[in-house]
Amino acid sequence: MDKLKQLMTKIEARVKARSENENKPNVPTEGRELINNTVTKSNALSRAYYRFGLVEKRVMEALISQLNPQSNPNDLQAIVLKATDYSKIFNVSEKHSYDHLGSAVDALMHRVITVIQPDKIIKMNITTEAIYEKNKGIITVTLSPKIVPHLLGLRSNFTKYPLKISANFKSSYTWRIYELLVSWAENP
């Protein structure tokens, strides 16, 4: 586990150095708050098989970062993400962020997550509803009841990392490897 922790520390240091070297616009308080959120999900969900493109992964993790993992799963309502916040977090032009949110809505409605257990294979949809308000640049997503227990009410066996670390990933594969490493690392 020590080698895994060292590898993760190196990855986080490289990402941080890279983000400090990029020319970033000033981020208003609202965007800064969202980028400082933490993504938390069950280890099973982190290790599950799914294929997200970079845009889908960004949108999904920005949505998840807004959840309180210790809250009651029955309290979950729809989650909202604004194109302006997306733009600031992932350093994407606002025009492109509108396009990204629009394409992510379609993709998230069709994605299936596969959790492999010793005696069974479970397939779940991520969302039950996704609404894109084009003129406002806002998506509102309602998560599938099967996914909610992997995001809320977590007390143990979960993966947690700052959204800020992953904001500079340029590939969904990089993000996926990072998330898998974090899921296998010992939680402090």
Side-chain angles (χ1 to χ4, degrees), residues 39-52 57 60-61 64 67 112-117 122-126 143-144 146-152 154 156-159 161 176 179-180 183-184:
V39 177
T40 307
K41 58 178 94 170
S42 72
N43 287 339
L45 184 58
S46 293
R47 297 171 189 161
Y49 176 79
Y50 55 88
R51 287 189 179 197
F52 279 176
K57 186 72 173 161
M60 194 66 218
E61 302 312 300
I64 289 172
L67 301 174
V112 173
I113 292 181
T114 304
V115 177
I116 299 172
Q117 296 181 346
I122 304 167
K123 294 191 178 265
M124 302 177 273
N125 287 352
I126 299 168
L143 297 172
S144 164
K146 297 290 186 183
I147 293 293
V148 171
H150 293 279
L151 302 171
L152 299 178
L154 301 175
S156 62
N157 299 318
F158 58 86
T159 300
Y161 60 90
R176 191 76 182 113
E179 193 171 80
L180 287 169
S183 79
W184 287 103

Side-chain angles (χ1 to χ4, degrees), residues 12 15-16 43 60 82 108 117 119 135 147 162 174-175:
E12 289 174 358
V15 169
K16 184 178 178 184
N43 287 339
M60 194 66 218
K82 298 176 185 175
L108 291 175
Q117 296 181 346
D119 58 338
N135 296 332
I147 293 293
T174 303
W175 202 324

Side-chain angles (χ1 to χ4, degrees), residues 52-70:
F52 279 176
L54 183 59
V55 170
E56 297 162 56
K57 186 72 173 161
R58 285 175 170 173
V59 168
M60 194 66 218
E61 302 312 300
L63 289 165
I64 289 172
S65 78
Q66 296 179 63
L67 301 174
N68 177 348
Q70 295 180 342

Side-chain angles (χ1 to χ4, degrees), residues 6-186:
Q6 289 173 346
L7 179 61
M8 289 181 53
T9 302
K10 286 180 184 179
I11 291 171
E12 289 174 358
R14 285 183 183 171
V15 169
K16 184 178 178 184
R18 185 178 181 183
S19 68
E20 289 171 353
N21 292 333
E22 290 181 359
N23 294 327
K24 293 201 172 223
N26 291 335
V27 180
T29 306
E30 184 178 353
R32 204 171 317 136
E33 289 174 3
L34 194 55
I35 196 168
N36 288 326
N37 286 353
T38 300
V39 177
T40 307
K41 58 178 94 170
S42 72
N43 287 339
L45 184 58
S46 293
R47 297 171 189 161
Y49 176 79
Y50 55 88
R51 287 189 179 197
F52 279 176
L54 183 59
V55 170
E56 297 162 56
K57 186 72 173 161
R58 285 175 170 173
V59 168
M60 194 66 218
E61 302 312 300
L63 289 165
I64 289 172
S65 78
Q66 296 179 63
L67 301 174
N68 177 348
Q70 295 180 342
S71 62
N72 185 338
N74 297 327
D75 295 339
L76 181 65
Q77 299 298 317
I79 312 165
V80 174
L81 180 62
K82 298 176 185 175
T84 52
D85 288 337
Y86 178 91
S87 172
K88 292 167 188 160
I89 294 167
F90 300 109
N91 199 24
V92 175
S93 74
E94 213 168 291
K95 180 198 178 306
H96 283 110
S97 67
Y98 277 72
D99 295 340
H100 288 187
L101 292 186
S103 67
V105 165
D106 259 355
L108 291 175
M109 286 301 298
H110 295 95
R111 289 295 179 248
V112 173
I113 292 181
T114 304
V115 177
I116 299 172
Q117 296 181 346
D119 58 338
K120 58 187 164 186
I121 296 173
I122 304 167
K123 294 191 178 265
M124 302 177 273
N125 287 352
I126 299 168
T127 60
T128 58
E129 181 180 65
I131 301 167
Y132 177 50
E133 297 178 61
K134 292 191 267 186
N135 296 332
K136 294 181 180 179
I138 296 174
I139 62 170
T140 305
V141 174
T142 303
L143 297 172
S144 164
K146 297 290 186 183
I147 293 293
V148 171
H150 293 279
L151 302 171
L152 299 178
L154 301 175
R155 302 286 185 248
S156 62
N157 299 318
F158 58 86
T159 300
K160 179 178 176 178
Y161 60 90
L163 183 60
K164 185 184 305 186
I165 293 293
S166 55
N168 293 301
F169 291 161
K170 303 296 182 203
S171 162
S172 61
Y173 298 110
T174 303
W175 202 324
R176 191 76 182 113
I177 290 169
Y178 175 76
E179 193 171 80
L180 287 169
L181 288 171
V182 172
S183 79
W184 287 103
E186 288 182 28

